[in-house]
Amino acid sequence: MTITSTGTPQTGDEMVTVAVGAQQFAIDIMSVREIRGWTQSTPLPNAAPHFLGMINLRGLILPVIDLSARLGLGTSDVAPSSVVVVVQIEARQVGLLVDGVCDILVVREDMIQPTPDVGAGSSAYFVKGVMSTDQGIIGLLALDHVVPPTESDAVAA
């Protein structure tokens, strides 16, 4: 099955919410392959600052991205609650280091609103919408931009 993250979730879709610092972000549950505890990664020389390295996931070499650093929120401090969310975008699997998994959220009618226009910047590039919940505002991640298909796309962002 090919999984894409370009569409906006519809009413009834389920989202996994993750903590990145003091903020929460939502990932389409259909893109999540597994959630695992933090494992020290093996770095690659000259990698982008948000690329932590690689881990061995049952024989698959999995790149791991610090989601906080990728979103421009500073680097993550690995803690006992830190986890790697393994996501699949198209044919690629990538691990996203987050501070924790919060909840599973079911999208309700008219829950998703456009990302506010904040002028120049890449906010809308990484966040394709926002959801207002009882827990606060949750950003809807555009996984295809967080994990672009090529390295040149990652550098351009």
Side-chain angles (χ1 to χ4, degrees), residues 18-20 27 65 67 76 81-85 96-101:
V18 297
V20 177
I27 301 170
I65 293 172
L67 186 56
S76 292
S81 63
S82 298
V83 295
V84 174
V85 178
L96 300 175
L97 174 66
V98 299
D99 295 323
V101 174

Side-chain angles (χ1 to χ4, degrees), residues 27-51:
I27 301 170
D28 184 342
I29 200 167
M30 296 305 294
S31 296
V32 176
R33 291 290 148 251
E34 72 179 84
I35 299 167
R36 54 182 292 124
W38 167 247
T39 303
Q40 186 62 41
S41 60
T42 303
L44 278 174
N46 295 318
H50 59 271
F51 178 70

Side-chain angles (χ1 to χ4, degrees), residues 33-36 55-62 86 93:
R33 291 290 148 251
E34 72 179 84
I35 299 167
R36 54 182 292 124
I55 60 173
N56 185 337
L57 181 65
R58 294 179 299 282
L60 173 68
I61 302 303
L62 186 73
V86 178
Q93 285 193 11

Side-chain angles (χ1 to χ4, degrees), residues 116-141:
D117 183 5
V118 292
S122 58
S123 296
Y125 183 75
F126 293 121
V127 178
K128 61 183 172 184
V130 295
M131 297 179 284
S132 182
T133 69
D134 295 338
Q135 292 77 35
I137 295 175
I138 299 173
L140 178 59
L141 284 180

